[in-house]
Amino acid sequence: MVQTEPLRVRLARKPIVVAPGVYDPFTALLATQAGFATLYVSGAAIAYTRLGRPDIGLVSMTEVTQTLALIADRVDARLIVDADTGYGNALNVARTVREFERAGASAIQLEDQDFPKRCGHLDGKALVSAQEMSGKIRAAVDARHSPETLIVARTDAFAVEGVERAVERAARYRDAGADVLFVEAPRTRDDLARIAARLGTATPLLANMVEGGKTPTLPAAELEALGFAVVIFPGAIVRALAHMGAEFYSSLAAHGSNEPYRNRMLDFAGINALVGTPEMLALGARYADKQG
């Protein structure tokens, strides 16, 4: 799947962009093989899988950059990347944007949380001022090399200050130059509708679906009808694999064998076909020195 349409162009038309969460080249490969052209590189999913820790700001900019570069090398997809708070002040944001853009980001998401930051669907969040966040957005816009690298402005104000202040913050971030707006963790469908109505559709709106989180999980078509241009499912793949992995290890512990689980696994040939082993071996053979 070769992507020739920039994300900015794709967001301007229907249907809504559905971007599943990924955390490494393998999950990115699975997602693109399923037909997804836009992926969300999730900071939460990286924390869960790379560190085995919660999403509370423990992942560094370098770790995300390394992950992003590996994903971009393996798949041809538009990559929306979670940059948390930008890992510091406006100067840190500028460096983050440059690093992520070089590594292959199509869009870079920044949020207005203060430290200690945490998952948007956890309680106890704190915010930086709207003025400080607007400065970060301006720094991000100035730092990007290409105008096709989009800046996504996320506000966590809904949980701290309420829906009206969240909408006001999002509008300020749009005025600062954000290309996509993301109001995190609204509580009801009516909240989602209100946010979309207040912010309009001139700037694409992003919705976040978290199973068991603060926001009701609506289907993509319904979110599109409300006015959203993109919906992400950041940590869903980790929750799915965690469920399956726990089942697998329990089965192995109980039976001392993989046989009871075989019909829910790829075999050796299957996994090699998925990751392209025959093609890689054939490519290597082309470069072999046949002259000795």
Side-chain angles (χ1 to χ4, degrees):
M1 182 182 300
V2 177
Q3 298 308 316
T4 58
E5 187 177 43
L7 183 58
R8 186 187 300 277
V9 175
R10 175 62 187 86
L11 291 175
R13 65 173 177 82
K14 294 183 178 181
I16 188 172
V17 173
V18 178
V22 301
Y23 60 83
D24 66 2
F26 186 69
T27 51
L29 180 63
L30 291 171
T32 55
Q33 288 182 348
F36 291 101
T38 304
L39 310 178
Y40 182 82
V41 182
S42 165
I46 293 171
Y48 300 152
T49 58
R50 185 163 180 166
L51 306 182
R53 299 290 186 181
D55 179 22
I56 54 172
L58 301 177
V59 177
S60 70
M61 184 268 285
T62 300
E63 288 168 324
V64 179
T65 303
Q66 292 170 343
T67 301
L68 170 60
L70 290 170
I71 291 171
D73 183 64
R74 185 62 183 92
V75 301
D76 185 12
R78 295 178 287 259
L79 302 176
I80 305 171
V81 187
D82 180 4
D84 285 346
T85 63
Y87 311 100
N89 62 19
L91 298 179
N92 298 101
V93 165
R95 179 171 182 244
T96 297
V97 167
R98 290 193 297 268
E99 293 286 341
F100 281 17
E101 187 176 38
R102 280 195 293 265
S106 302
I108 299 166
Q109 176 194 302
L110 298 163
E111 66 193 49
D112 60 4
Q113 281 198 54
D114 201 355
F115 295 96
K117 72 137 279 163
R118 60 195 63 207
C119 171
H121 290 254
L122 291 174
D123 295 327
K125 296 184 289 184
L127 306 176
V128 299
S129 70
Q131 179 179 359
E132 180 178 343
M133 181 62 178
S134 295
K136 286 185 172 186
I137 296 298
R138 291 195 301 272
V141 171
D142 289 345
R144 66 185 174 187
H145 177 72
S146 170
E148 296 305 329
T149 302
L150 305 187
I151 304 302
V152 182
R154 165 178 147 180
T155 179
D156 285 74
F158 188 100
V160 181
E161 301 176 341
V163 63
E164 290 300 325
R165 294 295 298 275
V167 169
E168 290 172 7
R169 277 180 174 256
R172 286 190 63 171
Y173 304 158
R174 176 182 58 203
D175 294 342
D179 303 291
V180 180
L181 302 178
F182 173 11
V183 177
E184 175 66 298
R187 298 298 183 93
T188 67
R189 183 189 183 282
D190 287 344
D191 290 332
L192 287 162
R194 187 176 180 183
I195 289 165
R198 289 286 306 278
L199 291 173
T201 58
T203 302
L205 304 180
L206 182 150
N208 181 19
M209 297 290 101
V210 177
E211 303 80 11
K214 305 288 188 183
T215 306
T217 50
L218 303 182
E222 189 170 350
L223 290 165
E224 179 184 302
L226 291 176
F228 289 87
V230 54
V231 55
I232 60 173
F233 296 82
I237 183 62
V238 183
R239 287 183 280 278
L241 291 176
H243 180 76
M244 182 181 298
E247 284 189 340
F248 166 74
Y249 287 125
S250 294
S251 176
L252 180 60
H255 300 98
S257 169
N258 289 339
E259 286 305 315
Y261 212 82
R262 279 288 298 276
N263 65 346
R264 287 177 282 175
M265 299 170 62
L266 295 177
D267 63 9
F268 184 71
I271 191 65
N272 278 291
L274 190 152
V275 300
T277 302
E279 293 82 359
M280 288 292 287
L281 293 176
L283 180 62
R286 286 179 50 197
Y287 299 116
D289 183 2
K290 297 182 180 180
Q291 301 302 315

